[in-house]
Amino acid sequence: MKSRFEGYSFELNEKVTRKKVEFHNRYGIKLAGDLYMPKNAEGKMAAIAVAGPFGAVKEQAAGLYADEMASRGFVTLAFDPSFIGESGGAVRNVASPDINTEDFSAAVDFLSVQDFVDSEKIGTIGICGFGGMAINAAAMDTRIKATAAVTMYDMTRVNAKGYFDADDSAEKRYEMKKALNVQRTADYKAGTYKRAEGVASELPEDAPFFVKDYYDYYKTERGYTERSLNSNEGWNTTSALSFINMPILQYSDEIRSAVLLVHGEKAHSCYFSKDAFEKLTGDNKELLIIPDAVHTDLYDRKNIIPFDKLQKFFVQYLNKCL
């Protein structure tokens, strides 16, 4: 199977230009991005960095969001986080709550020094697992003036506690960590890293709906791209270790900048956004629930994704001094 649009899962808007860029994070890892610009761009503009979903690449949902927001007048940067896609990092297909949070700040670094960007008007959009990372970055990086987390996952919570916190016990975490550390030893001996597999290529009839939902995006021409982890072999199996041990969102209640959480009413993951919103403080925080929408509807269904709301949110808060 091949991507529908020359390596991308979506068609470039006729009002937008796209070019490849490179930048680096604070750990010296080279990051790859696609910079989207309105064709009629002039002067210093507001900018938005976009990443996610977790296990996807910039040619998928992040690029679609960047393309759409650029058509609405923003400079946008869709990027591959460290270790995946076209970004650097010697070990491939591994995730880190620390480094992936840093990747958002690195994107802000890059945007801040562009002549056509107003460095006081930079926001972020994080999708799925990178929605949690985007909120975590907002708690650290005061340069981020507005954050939208769409169909958000807290990847540290789901790894440590299971879905709906069903596996939240010291004994279950111990058994999981023991198995993952056995795999670490095997990986070191082999000199390679076992992959956890992405979304299954064949679904059993009794697969949960959310698994079918992921399949419909990652394993069909709707969302498939060649570099996507979830469309292919998945993350390294041992990626979960740091997520079990290092929870994000610990200081999200101290975020002073604006945050918008968007989630589908029928998404299995909706509780992540609801719980994250409960912790946020201030009158510049908002939770928007989309009626009848499921998790991946907010990856690419332009008739469901509230782009008008996203545009209004970023226009309002990127033009407001903190």
Side-chain angles (χ1 to χ4, degrees), residues 5 10-18 36 39 67:
F5 301 104
F10 61 94
E11 188 172 13
L12 184 68
N13 191 296
E14 62 182 10
K15 299 178 181 178
V16 171
T17 64
R18 176 175 62 205
Y36 293 79
K39 284 185 176 178
D67 176 71

Side-chain angles (χ1 to χ4, degrees), residues 8 71 131 244:
Y8 293 80
S71 76
I244 295 168

